[in-house]
Amino acid sequence: MPVSINCTTGPFSLKAQPPRSTRDFPLSRQRHHECDDTRLLPADAFDPPMSASKFIGMMNPKIRRSALYTPGANPTVLQKAARSDADVLIFDLEDAVAPGAKADARQHVIKALSDPALRGRSVVVRVNGLGTPWCEEDVRAVAGAPIAGVLFPKINTPQDAQAAQTMLNMHGVSRSVDLWCMIETPLAILNVQAIGQLAGQQGSRITTWVLGTNDLVKELRARHTPQREGLVPMLALVLLAARANGLCVLDGVHNDVKDETSFEFTCQQGRQMGFDGRTLIHPSQIAGCHLAYSPTDAEITDAREIIEAFALPENKGKGVIQLKGRMVELLHAEIAEQILRTATAIELAAGARASDSQTPA
């Protein structure tokens, strides 16, 4: 059930409690999460009230619960994906496209990016891998396109990530375009911290990692199982490195579209581990993915109660309080603020998308 959040009124409203600057936190905590850029909003950001679309543009919440792979070789599917509810669309020039169809797929993707239905949408293009005959042409083709990011496959070492970034810069890709990295081999897993540390360097574009779980299973000579027992250690390691370096990280795909039980399990598994969302292979998976990666009614209610409790005069200046028989610390208040920001951003994004769909091109 959709959750209604009032973002302009109330004791925990975004106007009443504007996001804090990084100056308000100890230096050790200033490395922020790439999926939460609300901290830089000015205190008067919502005075006077503004449209949802403008609000989202300022808030830049980078909601990435779902990222739908869409084969670049199929113009009809590209068009349908543009009208889906996925948070991110990944137009794929790599795995989903046969070698003989690469050039045509590139043109299909460029044409699709001009679709009015993509206005305001977050679109990422997965190019072919470094060292392939198609990679540089892919990057050159999307250099001036209205995209949010470029996803490079098989980023195995820090040198690979630096080469991808150099290629983006060399071909004049806008600085607003992020570098997304596929983590999908044993070598990448072993180098994941070194790759992540590049995100802290000045001028780095790296914001997001995507798990390539199919390739990992292949390279490990493991088996696909409903509960992914063989992958959990690798998932955890990538997640640790992503969080240590302030990166957004997306879980891998679920191959069996008809196996809803295993899909739901792995969505919940990924969410409980701490992933920001996951990649999908079919639009029918979007709703279930969003359900797993969105705050629940109970989480939102609890978050409101925590923030309201810390706002009480008798709790001013306290680092720990009692709430309904449990100990609640300031870190729980920070988690609560994030939950409310996420819930608000999700609702506003849905509202803005609905409004854009009704606006003539």
Side-chain angles (χ1 to χ4, degrees):
M1 177 183 297
V3 179
S4 179
I5 304 292
N6 187 333
C7 65
T8 57
T9 60
F12 44 81
S13 68
L14 289 171
K15 177 171 172 54
Q17 296 187 350
R20 290 169 285 184
S21 164
T22 53
R23 292 190 299 270
D24 296 331
F25 296 98
L27 287 174
S28 63
R29 302 183 62 185
Q30 286 190 17
R31 183 70 177 133
H32 71 281
H33 187 337
E34 283 292 343
C35 286
D36 177 24
D37 279 355
T38 59
R39 69 200 188 288
L40 298 181
L41 279 173
D44 60 350
F46 309 109
D47 188 13
M50 63 181 67
S51 68
S53 294
K54 186 176 180 182
F55 171 81
I56 291 168
M58 292 182 62
M59 191 174 186
N60 191 22
K62 296 186 178 179
I63 302 167
R64 292 171 181 161
R65 298 166 298 173
S66 59
L68 179 64
Y69 283 117
T70 307
N74 192 326
T76 301
V77 174
L78 289 169
Q79 186 178 46
K80 289 181 178 179
R83 288 151 182 81
S84 75
D85 290 327
D87 292 333
V88 179
L89 301 174
I90 301 178
F91 287 178
D92 191 11
L93 296 174
E94 194 219 8
D95 281 350
V97 181
K102 298 289 188 182
D104 288 342
R106 195 180 296 131
Q107 295 307 311
H108 293 325
V109 165
I110 295 304
K111 183 177 180 180
L113 288 169
S114 65
D115 189 335
L118 291 176
R119 181 173 51 200
R121 301 293 300 274
S122 181
V123 181
V124 172
V125 175
R126 179 162 73 167
V127 297
N128 287 278
L130 295 166
T132 67
W134 312 286
C135 181
E136 195 160 359
E137 280 301 314
D138 291 344
V139 173
R140 185 181 290 112
V142 302
I147 56 177
V150 176
L151 174 59
F152 278 80
K154 301 293 191 298
I155 297 297
N156 295 323
T157 66
Q159 292 75 21
D160 289 343
Q162 289 172 329
Q165 183 160 279
T166 297
M167 189 176 292
L168 295 180
N169 295 339
M170 182 175 64
H171 289 292
V173 177
S174 169
R175 291 296 310 174
S176 65
V177 175
D178 294 337
L179 170 56
W180 288 36
C181 302
M182 293 288 300
I183 305 296
E184 52 186 340
T185 68
L187 183 57
I189 298 295
L190 293 174
N191 284 323
V192 74
Q193 172 60 5
I195 297 170
Q197 287 178 323
L198 295 177
Q201 295 182 359
Q202 185 174 5
S204 175
R205 293 176 183 258
I206 301 172
T207 64
T208 305
W209 285 345
V210 177
L211 267 295
T213 46
N214 281 334
D215 281 87
L216 268 174
V217 168
K218 171 181 172 287
E219 296 290 331
L220 291 168
R221 303 176 191 170
R223 291 178 176 173
H224 287 283
T225 61
Q227 298 187 3
R228 306 193 298 181
E229 295 91 341
L231 286 176
V232 169
M234 275 63 71
L235 297 177
L237 187 58
V238 173
L239 186 61
L240 281 169
R243 292 295 177 258
N245 294 287
L247 295 168
C248 185
V249 58
L250 304 183
D251 197 357
V253 300
H254 181 80
N255 298 319
D256 190 345
V257 176
K258 295 182 179 180
D259 186 357
E260 296 180 1
T261 300
S262 292
F263 176 70
E264 180 180 350
F265 175 87
T266 53
C267 281
Q268 292 295 337
Q269 180 188 54
R271 176 63 190 92
Q272 289 163 6
M273 291 182 73
F275 283 94
D276 297 295
R278 77 179 304 176
T279 48
L280 309 174
I281 61 171
H282 196 275
S284 65
Q285 297 175 321
I286 295 172
C289 183
H290 285 184
L291 184 63
Y293 282 96
S294 299
T296 65
D297 289 5
E299 287 173 329
I300 292 170
T301 298
D302 185 60
R304 290 173 182 264
E305 291 177 350
I306 289 173
I307 291 176
E308 290 174 343
F310 270 104
L312 293 173
E314 60 266 32
N315 291 329
K316 184 177 181 180
K318 290 184 178 180
V320 181
I321 62 173
Q322 289 283 330
L323 179 62
K324 294 183 176 180
R326 62 188 173 111
M327 182 186 74
V328 179
E329 301 179 68
L330 280 175
L331 66 90
H332 296 116
E334 293 175 15
I335 294 170
E337 289 174 354
Q338 173 58 31
I339 287 171
L340 294 183
R341 285 199 297 267
T342 299
T344 301
I346 288 170
E347 184 178 12
L348 287 173
R353 190 173 301 162
S355 175
D356 287 342
S357 68
Q358 297 171 6
T359 302

